[in-house]
């Protein structure tokens, strides 16, 4: 038996907040798991420290499946992002440990190498077409072979996915990290939203991008759960001439039935799932083939054990993966994605936003990005270590994701 001797939660904020679980066996082998839930980080940290770590001590670190079931079924209160992020962190750490004992990079335990590397897509954005074109060119120069396109909307000050635009309070920001309002109080920034303006503008932007960059480049777009089924169907139809790789999260995540209507109206490929927590959130979508890509994240969908089940279930229906990989997935979580991406037959694409240098000083990762492809590297385990001294230098800073309101003030999905 390979007993778990200790486990510790590390909260650090090298540019943005991350929660990491560090599990150590009696032999001193260390595994890491990502437990970051953007904007609600400490809920998972406390869940782990108070309710999970006491259960881990003395358990056999090799029993990834039984430990997963024990934490999932044993909680009685199943699912939800806090519980599933906590289970995910334990699961990743135990897979890391297993691969370290085997002295193999993790992908070797998940099926070996099915491809040279994982096709990655990067995030290009611009408040206007000129800025967007510059951003696309920058991404092409960095080697990206697939690009997500997010654009400013005339009449709106700040729009999801558009980097360094003006927030409602006038501060400049990169859109991805949760952030503080200008007053310094940890209150969410509020943004204004107009779906009709968005639906009118987005197809014109894709037309301009296709005219400038040609028909070949795979282009993606994220609707961030803001549309009704009719609005999403309309957008899907109006984007058909521009041959998208996918339209992501077009309708709210809770409503699997919504995609039935969208699917019946448009051939634009559909992807969803970054806010999903279990395979059950995908059940209708997969069995009725309402989507083309599962977008779950290893951090919020129960770790490697459960994400592999989602991917395998999807594979039976010809549905591919496109795991969620913004910078709120830490280098530990991103490494877990990459080991799966390399091994799974039904891999589709991997989202990739490079972490900041500050983050990469805390998390040392063997990940490489070359010629548009990501690779987790050949180090044993996940291939990531955490520098505890560096981590201690960056203390937690409360921050929230923005809140969205329609022009009349009604709260809307962000
Ligand atoms: O924390 C929220 C982000 O993970 C999310 O807004 C990013 O939608 C996202 C994406 O597709 O990367
Ligand atoms: Mg998204």
């Amino acid at each position: 038996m390979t007993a778990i001797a200790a486990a510790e939660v590390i909260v650090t904020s090298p540019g943005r907040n991350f929660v990491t679980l560090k599990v150590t066996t009696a032999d001193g082998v260390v595994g890491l798991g990502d437990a970051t839930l953007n904007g609600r980080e400490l809920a998972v940290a406390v869940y782990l420290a108070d309710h999970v770590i006491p259960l881990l001590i003395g358990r056999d670190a090799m029993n990834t499946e039984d430990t997963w079931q024990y934490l999932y079924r044993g909680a009685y209160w199943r699912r939800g992002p806090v519980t599933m992020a906590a289970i995910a962190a334990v699961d990743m750490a135990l897979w890391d440990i297993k691969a370290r004992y085997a002295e193999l990079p993790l992908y070797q335990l998940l099926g070996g190498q099915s491809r040279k590397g994982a096709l990655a897509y990067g995030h290009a954005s611009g408040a206007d077409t000129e800025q967007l074109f510059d951003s696309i060119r920058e991404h092409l120069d960095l080697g990206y072979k697939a690009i997500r396109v997010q654009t400013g909307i005339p009449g709106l000050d700040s729009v999801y996915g558009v980097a360094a635009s003006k927030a409602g309070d006038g501060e400049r920001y990169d859109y991805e990290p949760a952030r503080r309002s200008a007053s310094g109080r940890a209150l969410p920034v509020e943004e204004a939203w107009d779906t009709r303006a968005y639906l009118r503008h987005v197809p014109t932007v894709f037309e301009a991008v296709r005219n400038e960059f040609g028909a070949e480049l795979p282009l993606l777009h994220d609707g961030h759960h803001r549309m009704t089924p009719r609005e999403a169907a309309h957008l899907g139809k109006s984007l058909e001439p521009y041959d998208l790789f996918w339209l992501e999260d077009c309708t709210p995540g809770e409503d699997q039935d919504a995609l039935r209507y969208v699917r019946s109206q448009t051939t634009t490929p559909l992807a969803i799932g970054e806010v999903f927590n279990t395979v059950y959130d995908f059940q209708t979508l997969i069995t009725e083939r309402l989507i083309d890509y599962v977008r779950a994240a290893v951090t919020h969908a129960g770790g490697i054990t459960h994400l592999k089940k989602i991917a395998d279930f999807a594979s039976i229906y010809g549905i591919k993966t496109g795991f969620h990989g913004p910078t709120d997935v830490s280098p530990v979580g991103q490494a877990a994605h990459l080991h799966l991406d390399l091994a799974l037959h039904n891999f589709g694409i991997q989202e990739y936003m490079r972490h900041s240098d500050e983050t990469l000083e805390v998390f040392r990762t063997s990940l490489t990005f070359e010629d548009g492809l990501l690779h987790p590297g050949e180090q044993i385990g996940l291939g990531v270590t955490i520098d505890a001294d560096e981590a201690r230098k960056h203390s937690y800073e409360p921050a929230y994701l923005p809140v969205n309101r329609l022009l009349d003030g009604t709260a809307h999905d962000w």
Side-chain angles (χ1 to χ4, degrees):
M1 154 141 155
T2 312
I4 297 173
E8 178 195 353
V9 180
I10 301 169
V11 181
T12 180
S13 190
R16 63 175 312 142
N17 293 318
F18 294 109
V19 178
T20 309
L21 181 70
K22 178 179 168 188
V23 176
T24 309
T25 67
D27 306 326
V29 174
V30 170
L32 298 178
D34 180 15
T36 307
L37 183 60
N38 201 10
R40 295 291 187 274
E41 298 86 358
L42 297 186
V44 189
V46 168
Y47 188 111
L48 278 168
D50 291 356
H51 302 296
V52 173
I53 288 178
L55 307 178
L56 295 181
I57 309 305
R59 289 186 71 82
D60 190 335
M62 293 299 150
N63 294 343
T64 43
E65 181 67 35
D66 184 62
T67 299
W68 195 95
Q69 301 294 345
Y70 179 79
L71 294 176
Y72 180 78
R73 293 173 200 281
Y76 185 67
W77 310 109
R78 297 179 187 187
R79 305 176 295 159
V82 175
T83 297
M84 296 309 284
I87 296 176
V90 174
D91 187 73
M92 271 179 257
L94 297 191
W95 276 105
D96 192 11
I97 286 171
K98 200 192 285 280
R100 285 173 189 275
Y101 273 100
E103 297 188 359
L104 290 169
L106 177 62
Y107 71 82
Q108 295 290 11
L109 304 186
L110 301 174
Q113 187 153 348
S114 295
R115 56 192 52 78
K116 284 190 290 188
L119 174 69
Y121 74 87
H123 288 197
S125 69
D128 56 30
T129 313
E130 200 185 317
Q131 284 179 23
L132 175 61
F133 283 6
D134 287 348
S135 173
I136 294 175
R137 283 191 197 100
E138 279 163 28
H139 281 80
L140 294 174
D141 289 347
L142 288 168
Y144 283 97
K145 303 275 188 256
I147 296 197
R148 188 182 90 156
V149 169
Q150 301 296 132
T151 170
I153 308 295
L156 298 181
D157 276 348
S158 64
V159 175
Y160 164 77
V162 180
S165 54
K166 276 195 187 328
D169 54 17
E171 70 179 334
R172 307 278 299 177
Y173 66 94
D174 283 330
Y175 74 94
E176 270 302 337
R179 57 192 194 270
R180 298 166 154 232
S181 65
S183 67
R185 280 182 67 197
L187 290 177
V189 168
E190 298 210 358
E191 295 182 346
W193 180 246
D194 178 350
T195 308
R196 292 192 67 221
Y198 167 78
L199 293 177
R200 275 195 308 274
H201 188 62
V202 169
T204 67
V205 170
F206 275 88
E207 184 181 18
V209 171
R210 278 288 176 228
N211 287 342
E212 182 71 14
F213 296 95
E216 274 299 305
L217 182 64
L219 299 176
L220 303 86
H221 180 68
D222 189 348
H224 230 241
H225 305 117
R226 291 169 183 207
M227 286 167 273
T228 64
R230 192 209 61 78
E231 290 163 350
H234 177 76
L235 182 64
K237 270 186 184 170
S238 45
L239 291 176
E240 278 171 20
Y242 313 114
D243 187 25
L244 264 60
F245 186 97
W246 77 33
L247 170 61
E248 174 189 343
D249 291 349
C250 57
T251 47
E254 304 89 328
D255 191 356
Q256 294 190 52
D257 286 343
L259 286 160
R260 209 175 276 129
Y261 180 71
V262 184
R263 189 64 154 181
S264 72
Q265 297 298 309
T266 178
T267 55
T268 292
L270 302 173
I272 198 164
E274 69 186 40
V275 299
F276 291 5
N277 305 132
T278 73
V279 70
Y280 299 104
D281 297 329
F282 285 106
Q283 198 166 7
T284 305
L285 301 177
I286 290 177
T287 55
E288 295 191 22
R289 302 176 200 262
L290 301 182
I291 54 171
D292 300 278
Y293 297 91
V294 289
R295 281 279 292 144
V298 71
T299 42
H300 307 137
I304 292 160
T305 295
H306 199 66
L307 194 58
K308 181 156 170 22
K309 284 182 188 173
I310 294 173
D312 289 344
F313 181 38
S315 78
I316 294 167
Y317 293 84
I319 296 168
K320 293 189 174 178
T321 66
F323 298 141
H324 185 224
T327 46
D328 44 300
V329 173
S330 87
V332 176
Q334 190 67 323
H337 285 149
L338 293 184
H339 286 279
L340 280 166
D341 292 342
L342 215 57
L344 291 170
H345 177 250
N346 60 326
F347 166 78
I349 200 165
Q350 176 62 54
E351 182 179 21
Y352 176 51
M353 289 179 78
R354 190 183 179 279
H355 286 102
S356 68
D357 291 343
E358 246 180 328
T359 297
L360 295 173
E361 276 163 26
V362 171
F363 297 94
R364 306 280 161 86
T365 171
S366 57
L367 171 157
T368 56
F369 177 58
E370 262 171 49
D371 205 24
L373 300 184
L374 287 161
H375 196 289
E378 295 297 338
Q379 285 181 20
I380 62 172
L382 284 168
V384 184
T385 55
I386 188 163
D387 183 328
D389 294 335
E390 277 300 320
R392 264 190 292 277
K393 288 183 194 162
H394 306 279
S395 49
Y396 173 74
E397 292 191 19
Y400 285 99
L401 286 165
V403 168
N404 218 11
R405 290 190 184 278
L406 301 180
L407 298 181
D408 71 355
T410 307
H412 194 64
D413 307 83
W414 178 74

